[in-house]
Amino acid sequence: MPLPKKTPNSPELNAKDRVYQQLRSWIITGTLAPKEKISDQAIAALFGVSRTPVREALQLLATQEFVEMIPRSATRVTAVATDRISTIYRPLAALQGLAAELAAETITTAEVEQLNVLNQRYEQAQQQNQPQAVLLADNAFHDYILKIAANPYVNEFSQLVDAHAQRIENFYLAQLNVQQPDAVREHNEIITAIAADDAVAARERMTQNWLRSMHLLQACVDRAN
Amino acid sequence: MPLPKKTPNSPELNAKDRVYQQLRSWIITGTLAPKEKISDQAIAALFGVSRTPVREALQLLATQEFVEMIPRSATRVTAVATDRISTIYRPLAALQGLAAELAAETITTAEVEQLNVLNQRYEQAQQQNQPQAVLLADNAFHDYILKIAANPYVNEFSQLVDAHAQRIENFYLAQLNVQQPDAVREHNEIITAIAADDAVAARERMTQNWLRSMHLLQACVDRAN
DNA sequence: TAACTTATTGTGATATATCAGAATTATAGT
DNA sequence: ACTATAATTCTGATATATCACAATAAGTTA
């Protein structure tokens, strides 16, 4: 009997990807503060790898605007783009709108059911008033629509832009009012439109859902300044 | 008088970026054929650099799906995604639609004039029946709208997806009918909507412009098979 | 000749070394 | 004490060296 290669479900990531994913997560959650300097030597030592995979991970993060590498100066975490909320949310709204449109064209009844389940969990998280859990549940809902849409470009761009959106949301997490019955209703309307194969309505409602989120966040940021 | 540092307008790119831009261009234009194996050693020798910057450039190209790096096997140029035209064009249509929407919100009369000039050049290129020139002129028109929209995310994603679209178009360049009076008219309607600050109409017309292109290209591909 | 085995090579991944220029600190002169 | 200069450190960029593994070629046996 041949031994199973490694343990199943353990992606056994290489050094570069391990460093990349950890740093990315730290930046999004705010563990690594904006404008914080990143020493590749220190990171290398921390992960027990050499500077090469660290540098490769940093270059990838730089293309995604999570860090900025200033030639002959330093690499640091980028500032949270609190002054570019619409710059981030409008493409996000457009991409998610397309995702809803695509989902409406291919969705199955089982997937509709799953969307309802995810939206119920979202509603529960709101009622329990746990901001972090609300954001996670909202994310799970939208991620599942991306999965149904099954377009790698839409998926990838959406995930990237959303990561920047999440960075801002985490930054204002304390001031954020996550009790939004409107959002639950909007989600239901999105599900209804997608389930009815009404691509136009699905897109329209999804886009509006994101734009409303954008306005709420903008108001929160304005209040903080 | 202090000497000017290097010649102006010469970005003096580093090894990595030099290799990246050249390979990218070669892949889009088809100089590097789909499925062609890329030896980092050979590339390094060709550019007179070491494997390190070549590898960094290849990793960047891999994230953009221009090459695929298969662990412990080989790095090769990806296949031209002729079977994923809608996968590429629908996000492109959505992003360009948003760009038109954003442009409508901020455009100046001088910029409207420039758009008319670019569309006239596009029309002339069509009349001279030079496919390559037509694609370039069309590109210049859409790029200028992206510039007016001034959203780095929309710009970057659009450029990337468009690069994949261009790859397909170059692939079918010979079979492509670039004589499209419809396209010139559509461009004019887009300009009119943007100039009138009618964001909704601008988006709608821009999206339709791309979707029509998509259908034409799809028909061309279907004919070739 | 076909199938199996072994040697060689190619490649991705990583580590280490080097270098130039900027940033920083230390030092000396006023 | 303050400024100017020199030494040092840091960092990005690149080069070179290994290493493990997969693919391929070469050789061997049936």
Side-chain angles (χ1 to χ4, degrees):
Chain A
M1 176 177 121
L3 288 172
K5 49 198 67 174
K6 309 290 176 183
T7 48
N9 281 355
S10 88
E12 198 66 32
L13 288 175
N14 56 21
K16 174 193 138 192
D17 289 339
R18 255 186 6 250
V19 173
Y20 165 73
Q21 293 200 355
Q22 187 62 75
L23 289 182
R24 186 180 197 270
S25 165
W26 282 342
I27 292 171
I28 292 171
T29 60
T31 306
L32 276 173
K35 291 289 165 190
E36 186 168 344
K37 217 171 79 174
I38 295 181
S39 159
D40 54 0
Q41 302 230 44
I43 301 292
L46 183 63
F47 286 89
V49 298
S50 78
R51 285 174 69 193
T52 305
V54 174
R55 179 179 164 79
E56 290 175 349
L58 288 175
Q59 286 187 345
L60 186 48
L61 290 168
T63 68
Q64 302 178 347
E65 284 201 59
F66 290 117
V67 305
E68 48 190 347
M69 303 178 85
I70 300 149
R72 284 171 217 99
S73 174
T75 297
R76 49 170 57 91
V77 179
T78 50
V80 177
T82 55
D83 57 337
R84 295 200 290 177
I85 288 182
S86 79
T87 302
I88 288 171
Y89 274 80
R90 292 193 63 177
L92 189 49
L95 286 167
Q96 290 273 333
L98 175 59
E101 194 179 331
L102 294 172
E105 296 171 7
T106 65
I107 198 162
T108 66
T109 50
E111 287 167 339
V112 171
E113 208 39 60
Q114 179 62 16
L115 278 181
N116 278 314
V117 169
L118 290 171
N119 195 33
Q120 278 158 29
R121 287 191 196 149
Y122 175 59
E123 189 170 19
Q124 284 162 19
Q126 282 200 6
Q127 287 161 358
Q128 285 156 16
N129 199 33
Q130 293 185 320
Q132 192 69 65
V134 174
L135 293 186
L136 281 175
D138 187 49
N139 219 249
F141 176 78
H142 290 289
D143 275 0
Y144 193 69
I145 292 176
L146 282 177
K147 190 185 163 197
I148 300 169
N151 181 308
Y153 295 94
V154 174
N155 191 67
E156 200 178 321
F157 296 162
S158 204
Q159 298 280 1
L160 174 56
V161 183
D162 189 42
H164 285 283
Q166 282 179 49
R167 247 191 117 190
I168 303 177
E169 287 165 9
N170 282 328
F171 199 71
Y172 288 100
L173 193 59
Q175 289 92 55
L176 223 56
N177 178 19
V178 293
Q179 302 269 22
Q180 299 172 33
D182 282 357
V184 176
R185 189 173 38 72
E186 281 180 358
H187 282 191
N188 274 320
E189 289 174 4
I190 292 168
I191 296 174
T192 303
I194 293 180
D197 300 344
D198 188 344
V200 173
R203 189 198 62 199
E204 188 59 30
R205 286 168 185 181
M206 178 63 93
T207 302
Q208 287 310 316
N209 175 239
W210 279 98
L211 292 181
R212 193 188 45 72
S213 281
M214 175 181 87
H215 291 309
L216 275 176
L217 182 59
Q218 185 66 63
C220 183
V221 173
D222 290 343
R223 222 178 304 123
N225 295 340
Chain B
M1 176 177 116
L3 286 174
K5 49 198 67 171
K6 312 290 176 182
T7 49
N9 282 354
S10 89
E12 198 66 33
L13 288 175
N14 55 23
K16 175 193 140 194
D17 289 338
R18 248 177 24 238
V19 172
Y20 165 73
Q21 293 201 355
Q22 187 63 74
L23 289 183
R24 187 179 197 271
S25 165
W26 281 342
I27 292 171
I28 292 170
T29 59
T31 306
L32 277 173
K35 292 291 167 186
E36 186 168 344
K37 216 171 77 173
I38 294 182
S39 159
D40 54 359
Q41 304 229 42
I43 302 291
L46 183 62
F47 286 88
V49 298
S50 79
R51 285 173 69 192
T52 304
V54 173
R55 178 177 164 80
E56 290 174 349
L58 288 175
Q59 286 187 344
L60 186 49
L61 289 168
T63 68
Q64 302 177 348
E65 283 202 61
F66 289 117
V67 305
E68 47 189 348
M69 302 178 86
I70 301 149
R72 284 172 219 98
S73 174
T75 298
R76 48 170 58 91
V77 179
T78 51
V80 177
T82 55
D83 56 338
R84 295 201 291 178
I85 288 182
S86 79
T87 301
I88 289 171
Y89 274 80
R90 292 192 64 177
L92 189 49
L95 287 167
Q96 289 274 331
L98 174 59
E101 193 179 332
L102 294 172
E105 296 170 8
T106 65
I107 198 163
T108 66
T109 49
E111 288 167 338
V112 171
E113 207 38 59
Q114 180 61 16
L115 277 181
N116 278 313
V117 169
L118 290 171
N119 195 32
Q120 277 157 30
R121 287 193 195 146
Y122 175 59
E123 189 170 19
Q124 283 162 20
Q126 283 201 4
Q127 288 162 358
Q128 284 157 16
N129 199 33
Q130 293 185 318
Q132 191 69 64
V134 173
L135 294 186
L136 281 175
D138 187 50
N139 219 250
F141 176 78
H142 290 288
D143 275 0
Y144 194 69
I145 292 176
L146 282 176
K147 190 185 163 197
I148 299 169
N151 182 307
Y153 295 94
V154 174
N155 190 66
E156 201 177 319
F157 297 162
S158 204
Q159 297 280 359
L160 174 56
V161 184
D162 189 42
H164 284 283
Q166 282 178 49
R167 246 191 118 190
I168 303 177
E169 287 166 8
N170 282 328
F171 199 71
Y172 288 100
L173 193 60
Q175 289 90 55
L176 223 58
N177 178 19
V178 293
Q179 303 269 20
Q180 299 173 32
D182 283 355
V184 175
R185 189 173 38 71
E186 280 179 358
H187 282 190
N188 273 321
E189 289 173 5
I190 291 168
I191 297 174
T192 302
I194 294 180
D197 300 343
D198 187 344
V200 173
R203 189 198 64 199
E204 188 58 30
R205 286 169 185 183
M206 179 63 93
T207 303
Q208 287 311 316
N209 176 238
W210 279 97
L211 292 180
R212 194 188 45 74
S213 281
M214 175 181 87
H215 291 308
L216 274 176
L217 182 58
Q218 185 66 63
C220 184
V221 173
D222 290 343
R223 222 177 303 126
N225 295 342

